[in-house]
Amino acid sequence: MMDRLAFLISEGIRNIVRHKLTATTTVVSMVLNLAVLSVLFVIGVNSHQLIEYVRSKYKIEVFFLPDVRTDDLSRLKSEIDAIEGVRSTTIITSDDAKRIFKDQFGEDVELMLGYNPLPPSCVVNVVRDTKEPVYPEAIIRQIRALEGVDEISYQGRLITRIEKAYEQAVKIEVLIAAVILLITIVIMSGTIRLSAYARQELMKSLQLIGASRWFIKIPFMVESILLSITAGLLTYGLTMGALRWGNVLLSRYRFHINPDPMLLPALLLVSIFVGIVSAQRAVSKFLRT
Amino acid sequence: MMDRLAFLISEGIRNIVRHKLTATTTVVSMVLNLAVLSVLFVIGVNSHQLIEYVRSKYKIEVFFLPDVRTDDLSRLKSEIDAIEGVRSTTIITSDDAKRIFKDQFGEDVELMLGYNPLPPSCVVNVVRDTKEPVYPEAIIRQIRALEGVDEISYQGRLITRIEKAYEQAVKIEVLIAAVILLITIVIMSGTIRLSAYARQELMKSLQLIGASRWFIKIPFMVESILLSITAGLLTYGLTMGALRWGNVLLSRYRFHINPDPMLLPALLLVSIFVGIVSAQRAVSKFLRT
Amino acid sequence: MIEFQHVTYEFRRGGGIYDISFQIREGDFVFLIGPTGCGKTTLMRMIYMDLIPNKGVVEIDGYYSNKIKRRQIPKLRQNIGMIFQDYHLLDDRSVAQNVALPLHVMGHSKNNIAALVPEVLDQVGLKGKENHKPSELSGGEQQRVCIARALVKDPDIILADEPTGNLDPVTSFDLIALLDSINKDGVTIFMSTHDYNLIKGRDQRVIQMQKGRLLGE
Amino acid sequence: MIEFQHVTYEFRRGGGIYDISFQIREGDFVFLIGPTGCGKTTLMRMIYMDLIPNKGVVEIDGYYSNKIKRRQIPKLRQNIGMIFQDYHLLDDRSVAQNVALPLHVMGHSKNNIAALVPEVLDQVGLKGKENHKPSELSGGEQQRVCIARALVKDPDIILADEPTGNLDPVTSFDLIALLDSINKDGVTIFMSTHDYNLIKGRDQRVIQMQKGRLLGE
Ligand SMILES: Nc1ncnc2c1ncn2[C@@H]1O[C@H](COP(=O)(O)OP(=O)(O)OP(=O)(O)O)[C@@H](O)[C@H]1O
Ligand SMILES: Nc1ncnc2c1ncn2[C@@H]1O[C@H](COP(=O)(O)OP(=O)(O)OP(=O)(O)O)[C@@H](O)[C@H]1O
Ligand SMILES: [Mg+2]
Ligand SMILES: [Mg+2]
């Protein structure tokens, strides 16, 4: 039993050597298909980086009533921090505001007017690394309900528009990725089927000498899986190489593409899945007697 | 001679029927590859539409000296029209300007101030349907050199930035298209090669009974070309169908994707080219004795 | 035990075998003769159930052609050593690997296979050709690879479809002698041939066919 | 004219033919006999220049093996009717299409082909099998398709490599009679066989081989 299994697996490996041409063609075909997929994957993952950058520029400024005291401020801060969708907050006290004013305009407002007209305020940063669109209205509403809040300034319509556009873009990207995934699978399984077609006589002969369907299928599967893994690894190498090169080009723009740690597993998953399914289908087709 | 040619061509056609599986697999593989290409082609052609829209919003406003007379204006207009890169101009006389002011603010400036302070001006539209980037500086320089021109207002830095970005995008798109074209060709030729591999015994037998290389090659070429044309036509149909569907979806955004009249010829050219070259290579490989 | 009961099989394009009934008991050595195209190969294909009768029943070792399930057919074939008229060798591997194949199919151990294969290759006179591909052999050598592949699994039944077509008379007689000795060990042998010289002067049972029908014995 | 001058060809794995010299004149009918694996097929392959000698020269109808260009080989083969031991039939088309193939290769007209093919199929006894695929024929029938394909082009030389391996004695003798009558029309015939019965009692020239060498005539 162990010997038979070992034989079947070694058969799969030897089949690759025996049919070098089909093996090479299959791997090349798969690599090219997977490359398109993995580029799409990388773009998908990194488009998030873009929106995160934009989100980091979103600004909600909360101005408090002038009579809010310093210890009230820290309470307000922690209340705002607790609101869902808030990433961080920075409190600017009246004194801070005065100093900032002085830094920017060179004038001391308090000396000029005799009192400090600048109210304490707070800059609220929203979460940026969520897959969901960020809509600030809910946050605004909760902040407004807090005691001591005077006025809120934020770029509401702009944010909503950006988020809508991003949402749309993600949808289109998912659609394209799905279509390309489908195309990849069909082309890859066509390739494996053709390589099975070239060997149908051999399969027929095996069947005639009493080989069961499994006996014929397993080496073919092993072969297909090995080719798939090879293709997956090659594609990974290629993608990483292209990324490194792309990052050199992009460094001018201060933009850095990150490969996702899921890229390799995803590639292997897709390729092995396709390998198994199409080998299964191809062999079944030629064993139908 | 005629009979032999007729035979070779009919052989090519019958080979498709004889080897249905390889024919189907090849066509499916090709269609899917070409589909990706043609989507890219359509996007490329229509990205131009987008930049043209943006360009139609570029604005150069030329203000003339208040003492420029009406007949000087029409001379100035034709001089500006003659400048390379100018699509059209619209003269706004002092009176026009007054009327526009009145329409917008409800006040008659002339009545208010006792004279019309608004100078005659001219709105210059730049060409938009060029493949080259549009840089307004040269136009500005030439306008400034004209006698009677007082001041020019334009969105210089913005335009330059948009054009630079567009130029970059076109470059990236061309690069991606080239890579995908290459991938398509390699995958398609791999497919044809595998289908030749499945028939290497037949080719060997033909050779043994005295068939020349051409006798073996021509039917294979005919077959390959027919399959390519089929794939090209199917892809065209598919792309047009997808476009119609896409336009329905896009109609909300008042954006309309146009298929290029070159799409069909381009598809056929690519597929037939690939068909011929890879059939040629595949057959040569198996006839090497 | 091989038994045909009023077996008829007709190909879609016409031709085939009609109303065939006969029996071969365990340990028999039976010849099947008849002119080219009379249906010998077709009859043999029904024994290893590559073809299933249109009418009638074939029984092989307790398997009935009208009841057998598709996944039982490999089991049946594993007990039969088949020498195909058109060899059915796998050209993507060596002679030794071809001969080893049925043993792998039956799950023999590696050591067992390593011992059996050279022995049987020696028996059929293919020593020194172990590493050739089938396409690198002469016609007669290919035929002997096919014979070796049938013998190596030590089957209960040997079906030999014109196994001497590409062999010279000396080698042919050697093969018959080899089959004789195997038969002595209790193996049933059913062999088709059109080489009347080969069976002349032997007192074995001979089934004669003509145009798809049995002519008598 | 076929002439071998000290021809040696050795396969990479060893084996082959060594220092072969002989001559066959136009219109001769010569047999080549020898046990299985002695090199008959190898020798024949050198005549249609599928193999080129390592040493020595083969001359066929004015083509020399050491001078021939690759694109001349099809021309040479078109003048030779080859009956291959392993048939080399094209299984993706019918018997009639297989037989018509050499005529298409030689550029015969459609009408000519339509007239010649049924005639030659009738000659070899394959009437009624025109539309079968080769795989739908018995071994002997396939062999006869191969024979028909060689005869149909009315060649100057017929090379027959064990053309009776799958034929019964009656059909074999018919084939020899057919070849005899073709030979009467001036066609050179060179036929390998190991069926000594077939050539017994004929006064034709017989070349004998053994282990890759000529043994005498
Ligand atoms: N797949 C098929 N489809 C149609 N007809 C077939 C098929 N296989 C065989 N035949 C026909 O059935 C008849 C018997 O064929 P079979 O192969 O059994 O003959 P055979 O006795 O083995 O002959 P040979 O001695 O030449 O091998 C022949 O006339 C053949 O043409
Ligand atoms: N391609 C090859 N590579 C290596 N050895 C080969 C090759 N072809 C043939 N041989 C060897 O050359 C020898 C002669 O083979 P050949 O086919 O000429 O024999 P033959 O006389 O035709 O035999 P048969 O009567 O069995 O057909 C054999 O021992 C064979 O194993
Ligand atoms: Mg038979
Ligand atoms: Mg031979």
Side-chain angles (χ1 to χ4, degrees):
Chain A
M1 206 48 228
M2 278 311 295
D3 272 2
R4 176 141 55 163
L5 198 67
F7 171 76
L8 289 176
I9 291 172
S10 76
E11 267 289 289
I13 298 169
R14 269 178 290 176
N15 275 344
I16 296 176
V17 182
R18 284 172 186 150
H19 306 276
K20 285 182 210 74
L21 182 78
T22 60
T24 323
T25 315
T26 309
V27 169
V28 169
S29 223
M30 283 181 118
V31 166
L32 295 180
N33 274 302
L34 289 174
V36 175
L37 260 190
S38 75
V39 164
L40 232 79
F41 185 86
V42 170
I43 291 177
V45 167
N46 284 279
S47 74
H48 205 245
Q49 203 183 325
L50 200 66
I51 187 74
E52 279 176 24
Y53 171 78
V54 174
R55 280 176 182 160
S56 73
K57 302 275 179 224
Y58 291 175
K59 227 190 203 163
I60 303 179
E61 275 181 298
V62 180
F63 297 97
F64 300 111
L65 295 171
D67 56 358
V68 168
R69 277 182 324 193
T70 313
D71 34 329
D72 285 337
L73 277 183
S74 63
R75 183 185 42 82
L76 278 166
K77 176 180 158 62
S78 59
E79 278 174 356
I80 295 176
D81 274 336
I83 294 171
E84 203 192 311
V86 170
R87 179 163 53 91
S88 67
T89 46
T90 315
I91 290 288
I92 298 164
T93 61
S94 294
D95 288 348
D96 292 335
K98 192 179 71 183
R99 216 172 305 120
I100 292 169
F101 191 93
K102 193 172 176 192
D103 285 350
Q104 284 194 358
F105 303 101
E107 306 267 11
D108 190 321
V109 272
E110 203 161 5
L111 281 184
M112 274 167 62
L113 300 177
Y115 74 102
N116 180 355
L118 302 171
S121 68
C122 169
V123 176
V124 178
N125 299 307
V126 297
V127 288
R128 56 186 185 193
D129 56 350
T130 168
K131 305 261 164 194
E132 302 295 306
V134 170
Y135 293 124
E137 282 81 2
I139 300 173
I140 304 293
R141 215 178 316 113
Q142 291 178 64
I143 295 176
R144 210 184 293 285
L146 296 177
E147 209 168 316
V149 170
D150 180 15
E151 203 174 292
I152 300 176
S153 115
Y154 78 105
Q155 314 128 300
R157 258 187 56 210
L158 180 66
I159 293 181
T160 305
R161 212 184 262 175
I162 292 174
E163 291 287 338
K164 279 247 168 75
Y166 175 68
E167 215 181 356
Q168 202 83 19
V170 167
K171 262 189 213 150
I172 291 177
E173 203 185 276
V174 168
L175 188 77
I176 292 180
V179 170
I180 299 252
L181 182 64
L182 208 79
I183 290 180
T184 305
I185 289 175
V186 174
I187 294 181
M188 275 160 67
S189 77
T191 309
I192 289 175
R193 195 132 64 125
L194 275 184
S195 97
Y197 178 73
R199 271 182 272 170
Q200 55 176 327
E201 283 300 320
L202 299 178
M203 290 193 213
K204 177 79 188 151
S205 297
L206 270 169
Q207 222 176 2
L208 280 181
I209 64 168
S212 65
R213 299 167 70 83
W214 279 110
F215 193 89
I216 300 170
K217 244 183 222 173
I218 291 175
F220 207 89
M221 293 277 187
V222 170
E223 180 188 347
S224 204
I225 292 172
L226 283 180
L227 292 181
S228 305
I229 292 178
T230 311
L233 291 176
L234 279 177
T235 309
Y236 183 70
L238 224 73
T239 311
M240 296 307 279
L243 270 190
R244 184 163 299 181
W245 177 76
N247 274 332
V248 169
L249 287 189
L250 281 174
S251 59
R252 290 199 286 151
Y253 301 95
R254 298 233 212 92
F255 194 71
H256 188 80
I257 305 177
N258 293 314
D260 195 89
M262 287 302 293
L263 177 61
L264 186 58
L267 274 176
L268 290 180
L269 204 78
V270 169
S271 59
I272 291 175
F273 171 77
V274 173
I276 291 178
V277 170
S278 45
Q280 163 76 26
R281 280 189 52 215
V283 176
S284 298
K285 183 171 176 74
F286 297 116
L287 289 187
R288 203 174 296 145
T289 330
Chain B
M1 207 48 228
M2 279 309 297
D3 273 1
R4 175 140 54 163
L5 197 68
F7 171 76
L8 289 176
I9 292 172
S10 76
E11 267 290 288
I13 297 169
R14 269 178 290 177
N15 275 345
I16 295 176
V17 182
R18 283 173 186 148
H19 306 277
K20 285 183 211 72
L21 182 79
T22 59
T24 324
T25 315
T26 309
V27 168
V28 170
S29 219
M30 282 181 121
V31 166
L32 296 179
N33 273 302
L34 288 174
V36 176
L37 259 190
S38 75
V39 164
L40 231 80
F41 186 86
V42 170
I43 292 177
V45 167
N46 284 280
S47 75
H48 204 245
Q49 204 183 325
L50 199 67
I51 185 74
E52 279 176 24
Y53 171 78
V54 174
R55 279 175 183 161
S56 74
K57 301 275 181 224
Y58 290 176
K59 229 192 208 161
I60 303 180
E61 273 181 296
V62 182
F63 297 96
F64 300 111
L65 294 171
D67 56 359
V68 168
R69 277 181 324 190
T70 315
D71 34 328
D72 284 338
L73 277 183
S74 64
R75 184 183 44 77
L76 277 166
K77 175 181 159 60
S78 58
E79 276 176 359
I80 295 177
D81 273 337
I83 293 173
E84 204 192 311
V86 171
R87 179 162 54 88
S88 68
T89 48
T90 313
I91 289 290
I92 297 165
T93 61
S94 294
D95 288 348
D96 291 337
K98 192 178 71 182
R99 216 172 308 119
I100 292 169
F101 189 92
K102 192 171 175 195
D103 285 352
Q104 283 193 359
F105 301 102
E107 305 267 9
D108 189 323
V109 271
E110 203 161 7
L111 280 183
M112 274 167 61
L113 302 176
Y115 73 102
N116 182 357
L118 302 170
S121 68
C122 171
V123 177
V124 178
N125 298 306
V126 298
V127 289
R128 56 186 185 195
D129 56 351
T130 170
K131 306 260 165 197
E132 302 295 305
V134 171
Y135 292 125
E137 283 81 1
I139 300 174
I140 305 289
R141 215 178 315 112
Q142 291 177 64
I143 295 177
R144 209 186 292 285
L146 296 178
E147 209 169 313
V149 171
D150 180 18
E151 205 175 286
I152 300 177
S153 114
Y154 78 104
Q155 313 128 298
R157 260 191 50 214
L158 180 66
I159 293 181
T160 305
R161 211 183 263 175
I162 292 175
E163 292 287 337
K164 279 249 169 74
Y166 175 67
E167 215 181 357
Q168 202 83 17
V170 167
K171 262 189 213 151
I172 291 176
E173 202 185 276
V174 168
L175 188 77
I176 291 179
V179 170
I180 299 252
L181 182 65
L182 209 80
I183 290 180
T184 304
I185 289 175
V186 174
I187 293 181
M188 276 161 66
S189 78
T191 310
I192 290 176
R193 196 130 66 122
L194 275 184
S195 97
Y197 178 74
R199 272 182 271 170
Q200 55 177 329
E201 283 300 319
L202 299 178
M203 290 191 214
K204 177 80 186 151
S205 297
L206 269 170
Q207 222 176 4
L208 281 180
I209 63 168
S212 65
R213 298 168 71 84
W214 279 110
F215 193 89
I216 300 170
K217 243 182 221 174
I218 291 176
F220 206 87
M221 291 278 185
V222 170
E223 179 188 347
S224 202
I225 292 173
L226 284 180
L227 293 181
S228 303
I229 291 178
T230 311
L233 291 176
L234 279 177
T235 309
Y236 184 68
L238 223 74
T239 311
M240 296 308 278
L243 269 191
R244 185 162 299 183
W245 177 76
N247 274 331
V248 170
L249 287 189
L250 281 175
S251 59
R252 290 200 287 149
Y253 299 96
R254 300 233 208 90
F255 195 71
H256 188 82
I257 305 177
N258 293 313
D260 195 89
M262 287 303 293
L263 177 61
L264 185 59
L267 275 177
L268 290 180
L269 204 79
V270 169
S271 59
I272 292 176
F273 171 77
V274 173
I276 291 178
V277 170
S278 45
Q280 163 77 26
R281 278 190 54 217
V283 177
S284 298
K285 184 171 175 72
F286 297 115
L287 290 188
R288 206 174 292 144
T289 331
Chain C
M1 231 260 297
I2 301 173
E3 185 168 1
F4 276 56
Q5 289 172 1
H6 302 291
V7 170
T8 292
Y9 183 88
E10 189 156 32
F11 291 105
R12 253 182 300 129
R13 291 188 191 275
I17 61 177
Y18 304 93
D19 195 29
I20 303 274
S21 299
F22 68 93
Q23 218 188 32
I24 296 174
R25 271 160 313 174
E26 261 181 63
D28 275 3
F29 191 151
V30 180
F31 283 105
L32 176 65
I33 64 166
T36 164
C38 71
K40 302 183 291 296
T41 301
T42 308
L43 192 151
M44 294 240 170
R45 285 174 70 189
M46 318 212 64
I47 296 178
Y48 54 86
M49 308 233 177
D50 190 26
L51 297 176
I52 299 292
N54 297 146
K55 277 189 217 133
V57 178
V58 177
E59 186 208 331
I60 313 293
D61 270 345
Y63 291 107
Y64 293 84
S65 61
N66 53 352
K67 290 184 203 147
I68 195 164
K69 297 202 184 73
R70 206 167 59 170
R71 57 178 174 69
Q72 293 178 314
I73 292 180
K75 270 247 113 11
L76 165 72
R77 290 183 186 164
Q78 285 171 22
N79 284 327
I80 306 178
M82 286 159 295
I83 303 168
F84 304 102
Q85 192 173 7
D86 45 0
Y87 313 156
H88 282 297
L89 299 174
L90 285 82
D91 203 45
D92 62 352
R93 63 199 75 198
S94 73
V95 165
Q97 286 172 329
N98 263 283
V99 173
L101 214 43
L103 299 178
H104 286 296
V105 166
M106 293 165 74
H108 279 241
S109 79
K110 234 166 112 174
N111 296 334
N112 204 352
I113 294 173
L116 281 172
V117 171
E119 193 180 306
V120 73
L121 279 176
D122 196 19
Q123 256 180 342
V124 298
L126 283 176
K127 218 174 182 170
K129 305 280 178 189
E130 295 84 356
N131 296 320
H132 283 232
K133 293 267 170 69
S135 62
E136 295 170 341
L137 293 179
S138 82
E141 286 162 349
Q142 286 179 33
Q143 193 152 39
R144 281 177 283 160
V145 177
C146 189
I147 294 168
R149 192 179 59 183
L151 299 184
V152 76
K153 58 184 174 180
D154 196 11
D156 299 336
I157 302 173
I158 289 180
L159 289 185
D161 196 2
E162 309 204 12
T164 61
N166 276 303
L167 299 182
D168 58 77
V170 178
T171 319
S172 298
F173 275 108
D174 287 351
L175 174 65
I176 298 288
L178 180 61
L179 290 180
D180 265 335
S181 78
I182 291 171
N183 176 241
K184 291 260 152 53
D185 297 342
V187 177
T188 313
I189 296 181
F190 188 37
M191 166 171 161
S192 86
T193 186
H194 43 57
D195 193 346
Y196 302 116
N197 282 320
L198 217 56
I199 57 175
K200 219 156 43 188
R202 295 177 64 95
D203 59 349
Q204 261 139 356
R205 194 171 146 210
V206 175
I207 298 178
Q208 266 198 298
M209 278 187 87
Q210 185 130 42
K211 294 190 181 153
R213 290 175 193 279
L214 282 196
L215 216 107
E217 313 224 343
Chain D
M1 234 262 296
I2 300 174
E3 184 168 2
F4 276 56
Q5 288 172 0
H6 302 290
V7 170
T8 292
Y9 183 87
E10 190 155 32
F11 291 104
R12 251 182 302 127
R13 291 188 192 276
I17 60 176
Y18 304 93
D19 195 27
I20 303 275
S21 300
F22 68 93
Q23 217 187 32
I24 297 175
R25 272 158 316 170
E26 258 180 65
D28 275 3
F29 191 151
V30 179
F31 283 103
L32 176 65
I33 64 167
T36 167
C38 71
K40 301 184 292 296
T41 300
T42 307
L43 193 153
M44 294 241 170
R45 285 175 72 190
M46 319 212 64
I47 297 178
Y48 54 86
M49 308 231 175
D50 190 25
L51 297 176
I52 300 291
N54 296 147
K55 275 190 218 134
V57 179
V58 176
E59 185 208 332
I60 313 293
D61 269 346
Y63 291 106
Y64 292 85
S65 61
N66 52 353
K67 289 185 203 149
I68 196 164
K69 295 199 185 77
R70 206 168 58 171
R71 60 179 171 68
Q72 293 178 313
I73 292 179
K75 270 246 113 14
L76 164 72
R77 289 183 187 165
Q78 285 170 24
N79 285 325
I80 305 178
M82 286 159 295
I83 302 168
F84 303 102
Q85 192 173 8
D86 45 1
Y87 313 156
H88 282 299
L89 298 175
L90 284 84
D91 204 45
D92 62 352
R93 62 198 76 200
S94 72
V95 165
Q97 287 173 329
N98 263 282
V99 173
L101 214 45
L103 299 178
H104 286 296
V105 167
M106 294 166 75
H108 279 240
S109 79
K110 235 167 111 173
N111 296 335
N112 203 354
I113 294 173
L116 282 172
V117 170
E119 194 181 307
V120 74
L121 280 176
D122 194 21
Q123 256 180 345
V124 298
L126 282 177
K127 221 175 180 171
K129 303 282 179 190
E130 294 84 356
N131 296 320
H132 283 233
K133 293 266 172 69
S135 62
E136 295 169 344
L137 294 178
S138 82
E141 287 162 347
Q142 287 180 32
Q143 192 153 40
R144 281 177 284 158
V145 177
C146 189
I147 294 169
R149 191 178 59 182
L151 300 183
V152 76
K153 58 185 176 179
D154 196 12
D156 299 336
I157 301 172
I158 289 179
L159 290 185
D161 196 1
E162 310 203 12
T164 61
N166 276 304
L167 300 181
D168 57 77
V170 179
T171 318
S172 298
F173 276 107
D174 287 351
L175 174 66
I176 298 288
L178 180 61
L179 290 179
D180 265 337
S181 78
I182 291 170
N183 175 241
K184 291 260 151 53
D185 297 342
V187 177
T188 313
I189 296 181
F190 188 36
M191 168 171 158
S192 86
T193 186
H194 43 56
D195 191 347
Y196 303 117
N197 282 318
L198 217 57
I199 57 174
K200 218 157 43 189
R202 295 176 63 98
D203 59 348
Q204 263 139 356
R205 197 173 145 207
V206 174
I207 297 178
Q208 265 200 296
M209 279 188 85
Q210 186 128 45
K211 294 190 181 154
R213 290 176 193 279
L214 283 196
L215 213 102
E217 312 222 346

